[in-house]
Amino acid sequence: MIHVLLSQNDVYRDVVDHLTAGGAKATLIGPTIAPSAFRSKASILKAMLSPALLRTRGLWTKNDRVLIIGWQALPILAMIRCGLLPRPEKVLVMACFIHGARARRIVNWLWRKLYFPGMGFITFSQGEARNLTGTVGIPSESVYFHLWRQALYGAADPASITDDGSVFAGGYSNRDYDLLLRAMQDMPTPLNIVASERNAIDQQLRPATTVYRDLPEAEFELLLARSRVVAMPLRSQGEACGQSVLLRVLRNGKPLVTTRHESIEAYLGTDYPGFVKHDDVDSMRTTLQRALDDAAFRETLAAAIRVAGRKLDQREGPGQEIEHFLLA
């Protein structure tokens, strides 16, 4: 039997719904929070000590397969290693992202200490996979790459997909909004940024910018759908990042100018013409200005986005893919 352990409610619905429809059992082992809520490091650490972890006692046998989604994987694996929980036939860990070098070193050490035969990882970026196999020493056959995708809340009405002349930027993790503000300092173009309260943004770099904090998903996507160009300034560090915003870009067919990052290359290909160098203000400024002013270039970007969206739609569903990993 397959067991799915969820660190928070109502996440990865495409995966969980598919697995439970086939007979898997899903168990929440973390706090009940809003599905789109941004989780701080402190809240994640607190959740690792949640009494909900006790729900795993007696849940599976050594003949079962277990998928752990999120950072509750650490205490669960520790309990398995200590013999407090039975070691299942196979256990896969998914959705543990890190963007800082110091945190990565600590977690690498923990993965190394907690590893046991039958344990593996589902990664959302090739960088994450390389770290696990090359640095941590996890066997390559125990690391599975998954092109993350799911049906997101808040889809815009097709009639809302317009061009109001603005630039839209949104998202929370691994963002470099100050670089974008510097790149657009001398541009008269309206800029809308949707970020978290925890994102540090120096709005004095470009006062003529509207910054929204923690908008509902429908409002987030409406601003994206109405924009002329979407900008995604990513930091060079980090593993999986930018995918949820990218899925909304694909859904709305919007031209995208983004920092080159292998998480995004996995969807758009390495030759996507809207990539810019990381940490390069001039590159971001030049490409954004061209996308705003040159209708032909803008259409080239949008056409590439539409092609990438069609390719993603043709892939096997995320639930089926994860199921294959579990049963392999």
Side-chain angles (χ1 to χ4, degrees):
M1 183 175 181
I2 293 175
H3 289 270
V4 183
L5 306 184
L6 300 166
S7 292
Q8 61 186 104
N9 56 301
D10 202 25
V11 293
Y12 297 96
R13 300 183 310 278
D14 305 59
V15 173
V16 176
D17 290 351
H18 173 80
L19 293 175
T20 54
K25 178 178 175 60
T27 303
L28 178 65
I29 56 171
T32 301
I33 62 174
S36 60
F38 182 87
R39 301 182 71 192
S40 66
K41 294 181 179 68
S43 69
I44 292 172
L45 288 171
K46 183 179 179 181
M48 288 184 193
L49 303 175
S50 170
L53 291 170
L54 297 175
R55 296 171 187 164
T56 59
R57 297 181 65 181
L59 194 59
W60 63 79
T61 71
K62 63 180 181 179
N63 297 317
D64 293 331
R65 294 164 187 259
V66 178
L67 172 66
I68 313 175
I69 301 177
W71 284 108
Q72 263 82 331
L74 285 171
I76 293 295
L77 294 173
M79 287 191 284
I80 293 174
R81 284 282 287 174
C82 293
L84 298 176
L85 293 173
R87 182 181 296 185
E89 182 175 351
K90 187 171 190 176
V91 56
L92 293 182
V93 175
M94 184 173 86
C96 293
F97 313 124
I98 291 180
H99 301 302
R102 182 171 178 270
R104 169 46 66 206
R105 288 194 296 270
I106 294 170
V107 173
N108 280 350
W109 181 83
L110 289 170
W111 290 146
R112 204 174 290 120
K113 292 295 182 182
L114 293 173
Y115 179 76
F116 52 82
M119 171 183 158
F121 293 85
I122 297 172
T123 69
F124 294 170
S125 77
Q126 295 297 346
E128 190 183 358
R130 283 196 305 273
N131 173 72
L132 289 167
T133 57
T135 305
V136 180
I138 305 298
S140 58
E141 62 270 19
S142 298
V143 178
Y144 304 88
F145 174 70
H146 173 65
L147 196 63
W148 182 80
R149 56 213 183 271
Q150 71 176 40
L152 299 172
Y153 289 121
D157 186 280
S160 300
I161 304 174
T162 55
D163 175 359
D164 64 5
S166 69
V167 171
F168 172 87
Y172 310 136
S173 63
N174 211 37
R175 296 306 197 272
D176 191 351
Y177 286 122
D178 286 355
L179 180 143
L180 178 62
L181 293 175
R182 291 188 180 94
M184 294 189 64
Q185 262 180 337
D186 299 323
M187 293 185 193
T189 308
L191 170 61
N192 295 310
I193 295 177
V194 182
S196 164
E197 288 292 346
R198 295 177 177 83
N199 286 115
I201 299 175
D202 185 359
Q203 202 166 344
Q204 292 183 356
L205 292 170
R206 189 181 188 272
T209 299
T210 304
V211 178
Y212 302 88
R213 301 284 184 171
D214 299 311
L215 281 185
E217 291 182 83
E219 294 179 39
F220 182 108
E221 185 153 334
L222 186 59
L223 286 169
L224 181 151
R226 289 174 173 171
S227 67
R228 173 169 291 185
V229 177
V230 176
M232 191 152 58
L234 301 173
R235 299 187 186 279
S236 58
Q237 63 185 13
E239 298 169 348
C241 61
Q243 288 108 320
S244 62
V245 175
L246 178 61
L247 290 185
R248 296 185 192 277
V249 169
L250 297 176
R251 182 155 74 183
N252 290 275
K254 304 301 290 188
L256 173 69
V257 174
T258 177
T259 309
R260 183 178 292 278
H261 194 290
E262 59 187 357
S263 289
I264 308 303
E265 287 179 337
Y267 297 79
L268 303 183
T270 58
D271 58 350
Y272 176 69
F275 281 130
V276 301
K277 299 175 184 177
H278 61 77
D279 304 321
D280 190 328
V281 173
D282 289 338
S283 180
M284 177 65 76
R285 179 188 299 114
T286 301
T287 308
L288 257 182
Q289 191 69 70
R290 184 183 176 194
L292 288 166
D293 296 343
D294 186 340
F297 179 59
R298 199 160 58 245
E299 174 54 29
T300 297
L301 297 179
I305 290 294
R306 291 192 294 270
V307 169
R310 287 195 293 270
K311 287 182 178 178
L312 194 63
D313 290 341
Q314 292 167 4
R315 288 181 68 98
E316 181 181 45
Q320 290 94 324
E321 190 166 289
I322 299 299
E323 183 178 26
H324 291 162
F325 296 159
L326 284 163
L327 298 178

